[in-house]
Amino acid sequence: MVCCLQSVIVLFVALRKARKQQQLISKRLLREDTQNGEGKAGMEIPTDPLSEQEVLQLLRDTQKGTEERKKSLSCLRQALQHKETQQKFVRLEGSMRVLIGLFTSSLADVQMEAAHCLHELSHSSDPAVAEACLPATSYLLTYLSGHSIEFTELCLYTLGNLVVESEAVRKQLLPQGIISALASCIQSPHEAVLEGLGYVLSQLLQAKEASIEIIPLVLDSALPQHMLQLVCSNLELGMGVAVEFAWCLHYVVCSCVNNALLISQGIMSTLVLLLLELASMVSKAVADGLELLICPVLRCLSNLLAEEMEGCNMQVQDERLLVALFTFMQYFLNHHLFIVQECLWLLNNLTADEPFFCSAMLTLDLIPALLQLLPCSRMVALLVLTVLCNIAEKGCAYCQQLHQKAVLSSLISILTLSDAEVAGQCLELLHLLFLHWPEAAADFFTQAGLQALEQHQHHPELQERVRALMNLATQPTAASPCSLVSSAAVPSSLP
Amino acid sequence: LLPVPARAPPQAPFRFSPRRLRCPREHELLEDGDIHRHLYLQDILVSVTQVTEKPKVSEFSCHIAGCCQVFDTLEGYEHHYNTLHRNVCSFCKRSFPSGHLLDIHILEWHDSLFQIMAEKQSMYQCLVQGCVEKFKSSKDRKDHLVTVHLYPSDFRFDRPKKAKSSTKHSKSPLLQNASMPVDIKTFEQPQVDSMEISPVENMENASQPLSSLISLPPEKHLNRSRIPSTICFGQGAARGFKSMRKKI
């Protein structure tokens, strides 16, 4: 796709709008390079869509003798790349019946061409065209238990495109046994088949009715165990399979239907180990597109932690996880900011309750790296400040170390530049620091922190908190009970 | 681990309390990642899978006796083999898309014990994997497929046997075998369009000598062409035959 910058921006605005309205429909297209076709002489991609007469003629030609039929089907397949031709085709009486008849032929190459035609139709952006493929679904499912890799793959992607199209399609596929068919098919050893299967499953799992109609069925089947295996598979050779199943797991986890089941199957440790491995791949700069796999895995862990289930915390307590997160954030900072955001979300969930990770942040000296992220974006700044609040809230030993890491100067800059929400989070952090480690307050005011505060003193959302902090400037530095106790117990150098 | 005092509630006017955040599907924080995923699926981004060239070999023909199809890719051959030769009923030469459907076919069409048992109990199993229902007749099963599983009423892989061959009989197995070849020719072929029957199938049906069927011992009823599912062709086991994904 050749785009100028303007059209890229327009595209993103449109996509963001679609996502906000939950109307982001993604379809996959498998289309062979015409050069690779076998003996398809004279097959040029038509520049114009066909007329209704031409479509009708092609349809008739597919009913003739074997050689003619194959050529006509190839032509039809090419022609069906155009939306208008697709629409004309499905409107012709009997056309789908003929196509499905060819699709179920025992002549392999006829069947394959017909399958490609169906696939083009399934990919249509016109819902009426995709829905015209409905009568083929029982056959698509039947063929999933076949052994031809390419054909099975094609059937899977066609199904996936249909699944995402409408609830009507899914309402038919579920009673037709799609879940059982997928549960059988997932035992295939072939990567291409597994990737296609992951795609179909991911489309099913993100349906709006999924948490009620689909996810319970999936969790009841053998699928979850396979998913957990496949999400770590084949990372060096080609991550396509792992990517699909990672997104599948994300859709299941964020629906919160039965995360206890997944936890009992070891999802936490599987995903933590996976992240560690991905971090080592990132640092060796092996493999492109890692963010596509990292993203859903981060989300799963974050949402699972948010469930606050028994024993979950213990399963993630591995310092290397922190190192992995910072490796990702540094690596993707310039090109995929969303990874930074989602890493920080996980970091929040790791540091909110358990002091383990708060301590580790300090002992591994990760605070400077965290502070460096503050200027990236508003959302990132909010998340960074929240994580710092999590650490500060743990008490004076933590605040003392934060103070030592020169948190204050970053806070003063950010306070000066920011909007109300970010400023508000700053104020919360300052409060916690001053509460547990009053020396920080004194230091703050000597660094001209007062002027930074004054900026916001009239803002309705902020003024109360600003005034509370400003009052500290006039009070003498009282030694809080905490600092008297802690100065003996806390090692001021890193172990 | 640094010491942590007991957690106290926030002091007014401050309100921060550490809290794990849960993001459901539509959460704002997930927007950008979702868009990235969408672009990947639409092939606008580079796919993470390696795309392999389909290997071309010099022409070769199908090794099944009587089949004269010729191929120049392993892939094409594999699909042909799987469609026509893999799950084939050795009695009537019909081919099926899966071992599962083939097994059901043999049971219902070629097993006399099945016929006997079917008179007393529900023997016709539902074709949908995962459904355990059984029925007294082929018609009942079809009704179930249509009403419960929303299958088309003309589902190609659920043709009922013609009445002629499924009538009750007290004949010996020998005579029953003898009646088979005659019936095969009059059976409705699995394909709707008669031109779709491969020439191979026609030839084999016509040339099946009566004598060879009569001499079949009873145990061979359940014989059929079967390849273990783990066997595949070419590079299938390692990489699969990938279509070239055309980047738009």
Side-chain angles (χ1 to χ4, degrees):
Chain A
M1 182 163 83
V2 176
C3 288
C4 66
L5 188 60
Q6 183 124 23
S7 47
V8 170
I9 293 171
V10 167
L11 173 69
F12 268 89
V13 166
L15 287 174
R16 192 154 281 148
K17 185 173 170 199
R19 164 58 171 80
K20 282 197 204 291
Q21 296 169 344
Q22 294 161 56
Q23 280 171 14
L24 206 57
I25 293 182
S26 328
K27 290 195 180 184
R28 246 247 148 120
L29 183 64
L30 290 186
R31 197 181 273 166
E32 284 168 17
D33 244 336
T34 43
Q35 277 84 29
N36 245 7
E38 305 150 59
K40 290 183 184 137
M43 288 299 121
E44 277 120 29
I45 301 171
T47 48
D48 293 315
L50 300 181
S51 73
E52 216 171 275
Q53 262 314 106
E54 287 169 309
V55 177
L56 188 57
Q57 188 54 49
L58 264 184
L59 194 59
R60 289 203 181 116
D61 290 343
T62 62
Q63 306 282 74
K64 296 181 183 163
T66 20
E67 269 319 299
E68 267 302 303
R69 171 168 36 212
K70 209 187 140 201
K71 278 207 196 104
S72 329
L73 266 177
S74 285
C75 282
L76 186 60
R77 169 188 173 177
Q78 300 281 16
L80 287 175
Q81 293 177 18
H82 286 279
K83 184 171 168 178
E84 285 178 42
T85 314
Q86 294 168 354
Q87 291 164 328
K88 286 175 189 152
F89 180 81
V90 302
R91 283 186 214 134
L92 280 178
E93 197 175 319
S95 59
M96 285 310 294
R97 192 174 164 73
V98 168
L99 185 59
I100 292 172
L102 295 165
F103 176 58
T104 52
S105 159
S106 57
L107 287 174
D109 36 15
V110 168
Q111 184 181 48
M112 189 66 96
E113 285 297 323
H116 277 288
C117 291
L118 261 180
H119 183 67
E120 293 287 347
L121 291 173
S122 77
H123 189 258
S124 180
S125 51
D126 180 350
V129 171
E131 288 197 19
C133 299
L134 268 180
T137 54
S138 57
Y139 296 110
L140 285 165
L141 289 177
T142 304
Y143 288 132
L144 290 189
S145 43
H147 291 96
S148 304
I149 300 166
E150 193 195 359
F151 185 66
T152 308
E153 188 190 14
L154 196 52
C155 290
L156 284 165
Y157 282 105
T158 304
L159 273 169
N161 289 344
L162 293 176
V163 158
V164 78
E165 186 57 62
S166 72
E167 194 171 352
V169 173
R170 298 188 289 267
K171 270 200 150 79
Q172 176 165 303
L173 281 169
L174 285 168
Q176 284 182 343
I178 187 170
I179 307 282
S180 307
L182 293 177
S184 282
C185 191
I186 204 168
Q187 294 167 57
S188 165
H190 307 299
E191 216 183 294
V193 169
L194 290 171
E195 191 177 341
L197 196 152
Y199 169 70
V200 181
L201 198 50
S202 74
Q203 301 292 49
L204 264 179
L205 292 168
Q206 61 171 325
K208 63 181 194 326
E209 76 277 12
S211 50
I212 304 171
E213 307 285 346
I214 299 172
I215 293 177
L217 295 174
V218 170
L219 288 173
D220 251 345
S221 75
L223 284 167
Q225 277 137 331
H226 284 105
M227 281 159 54
L228 284 174
Q229 280 178 329
L230 291 168
V231 81
C232 328
S233 67
N234 241 357
L235 296 181
E236 296 284 332
L237 297 173
M239 288 183 319
V241 175
V243 167
E244 295 309 309
F245 286 100
W247 284 91
C248 286
L249 285 171
H250 161 55
Y251 298 132
V252 175
V253 167
C254 71
S255 72
C256 294
V257 170
N258 188 359
N259 285 334
L261 175 68
L262 291 172
I263 289 172
S264 74
Q265 290 176 344
I267 190 175
M268 301 289 291
S269 42
T270 302
L271 294 183
V272 168
L273 290 173
L274 177 56
L275 277 185
L276 296 181
E277 182 164 354
L278 290 171
S280 90
M281 286 171 78
V282 160
S283 39
K284 293 183 218 152
V286 169
D288 269 329
L290 282 169
E291 75 280 1
L292 288 155
L293 180 52
I294 293 169
C295 172
V297 176
L298 290 171
R299 295 178 178 193
C300 283
L301 281 172
S302 302
N303 274 325
L304 286 166
L305 282 170
E307 298 258 14
E308 304 199 32
M309 288 192 184
E310 280 295 309
C312 260
N313 298 329
M314 286 309 297
Q315 291 182 36
V316 297
Q317 278 184 9
D318 186 336
E319 277 183 349
R320 296 173 297 170
L321 185 54
L322 276 187
V323 177
L325 291 179
F326 277 86
T327 307
F328 296 145
M329 290 197 280
Q330 188 186 38
Y331 188 80
F332 290 108
L333 186 54
N334 292 322
H335 297 291
H336 300 299
L337 199 60
F338 69 89
I339 291 286
V340 176
Q341 244 168 241
E342 304 201 15
C343 282
L344 287 170
W345 168 30
L346 178 54
L347 201 52
N348 172 72
N349 287 7
L350 290 170
T351 52
D353 301 314
E354 297 290 310
F356 177 88
F357 283 103
C358 297
S359 270
M361 285 288 292
L362 295 167
T363 54
L364 293 172
D365 201 18
L366 291 169
I367 303 295
L370 190 62
L371 292 171
Q372 274 168 14
L373 297 170
L374 275 169
C376 286
S377 76
R378 197 183 147 272
M379 177 73 91
V380 168
L382 266 175
L383 289 164
V384 167
L385 290 168
T386 308
V387 170
L388 288 167
C389 284
N390 289 347
I391 299 174
E393 190 265 350
K394 300 294 177 290
C396 52
Y398 298 79
C399 290
Q400 183 189 18
Q401 293 222 22
L402 282 177
H403 180 217
Q404 280 173 5
K405 306 289 177 194
V407 158
L408 286 177
S409 47
S410 302
L411 289 182
I412 292 171
S413 339
I414 208 89
L415 201 53
T416 323
L417 298 168
S418 297
D419 67 30
E421 205 180 347
V422 175
Q425 199 64 38
C426 252
L427 298 175
E428 297 285 343
L429 179 55
L430 288 169
H431 161 70
L432 287 167
L433 286 170
F434 301 166
L435 178 67
H436 295 298
W437 192 248
E439 283 90 324
D443 199 1
F444 177 77
F445 293 111
T446 57
Q447 287 185 49
L450 189 61
Q451 287 85 319
L453 283 177
E454 277 169 352
Q455 237 185 287
H456 300 286
Q457 66 183 318
H458 300 298
H459 193 292
E461 271 294 304
L462 304 173
Q463 56 194 13
E464 256 195 294
R465 292 180 280 176
V466 168
R467 302 241 172 85
L469 289 174
M470 280 168 72
N471 286 341
L472 293 175
T474 53
Q475 288 168 12
T477 314
S480 76
C482 162
S483 61
L484 286 173
V485 172
S486 65
S487 51
V490 173
S492 54
S493 58
L494 305 175
Chain B
L1 198 67
L2 301 174
V4 184
R7 177 176 281 185
Q11 292 180 357
F14 297 95
R15 45 215 191 210
F16 176 80
S17 208
R19 211 175 35 102
R20 297 189 192 191
L21 176 64
R22 194 190 137 234
C23 288
R25 275 263 288 127
E26 340 66 54
H27 198 282
E28 185 194 7
L29 207 150
L30 307 182
E31 258 175 34
D32 287 347
D34 283 351
I35 289 174
H36 198 75
R37 161 72 174 165
H38 171 82
L39 292 174
Y40 165 70
L41 286 177
Q42 305 274 108
D43 263 345
I44 293 168
L45 302 176
V46 173
S47 170
V48 295
T49 56
Q50 307 291 69
V51 174
T52 46
E53 289 273 335
K54 277 191 250 178
K56 279 231 188 232
V57 298
S58 53
E59 260 191 13
F60 62 99
S61 55
C62 180
H63 70 273
I64 299 294
C67 182
C68 42
Q69 284 277 78
V70 170
F71 311 92
D72 66 353
T73 65
L74 283 170
E75 216 171 0
Y77 175 55
E78 183 185 54
H79 188 48
H80 160 81
Y81 187 94
N82 289 328
T83 312
L84 214 46
H85 302 307
R86 188 167 196 131
N87 300 301
V88 173
C89 175
S90 55
F91 297 103
C92 62
K93 305 304 171 190
R94 272 182 188 73
S95 57
F96 292 84
S98 67
H100 174 65
L101 287 172
L102 172 62
D103 289 344
I104 292 179
H105 162 82
I106 290 173
L107 198 62
E108 295 177 9
W109 287 44
H110 305 297
D111 186 345
S112 50
L113 188 62
F114 177 90
Q115 299 303 331
I116 293 165
M117 289 177 70
E119 286 166 29
K120 300 190 193 103
Q121 47 187 286
S122 300
M123 294 286 289
Y124 289 87
Q125 29 176 319
C126 176
L127 299 183
V128 174
Q129 275 178 318
C131 180
V132 297
E133 298 285 338
K134 291 195 182 186
F135 303 89
K136 284 207 153 308
S137 73
S138 174
K139 181 183 181 308
D140 287 349
R141 189 223 348 249
K142 162 149 283 161
D143 288 342
H144 166 82
L145 279 175
V146 171
T147 48
V148 173
H149 294 298
L150 309 183
Y151 265 49
S153 51
D154 61 351
F155 188 63
R156 173 157 286 192
F157 305 112
D158 179 32
R159 301 288 159 140
K161 265 173 101 165
K162 280 279 173 26
K164 199 188 290 187
S165 56
S166 60
T167 48
K168 37 226 173 290
H169 42 55
S170 50
K171 296 175 192 152
S172 67
L174 199 69
L175 279 173
Q176 190 204 346
N177 276 345
S179 71
M180 290 279 256
V182 175
D183 284 341
I184 284 170
K185 285 178 192 136
T186 60
F187 272 161
E188 189 186 280
Q189 293 296 339
Q191 298 87 352
V192 171
D193 183 348
S194 62
M195 296 205 325
E196 291 171 87
I197 303 165
S198 76
V200 174
E201 274 190 13
N202 268 337
M203 269 164 34
E204 286 187 333
N205 278 346
S207 61
Q208 194 77 14
L210 201 64
S211 52
S212 70
L213 274 179
I214 292 173
S215 64
L216 272 178
E219 308 86 274
K220 287 238 173 147
H221 265 205
L222 296 176
N223 238 7
R224 60 223 180 227
S225 352
R226 277 296 233 153
I227 305 273
S229 57
T230 48
I231 292 183
C232 66
F233 302 88
Q235 302 156 3
R239 297 280 298 132
F241 296 94
K242 290 202 195 301
S243 308
M244 301 274 278
R245 299 228 172 89
K246 182 174 171 178
K247 297 187 183 70
I248 301 159

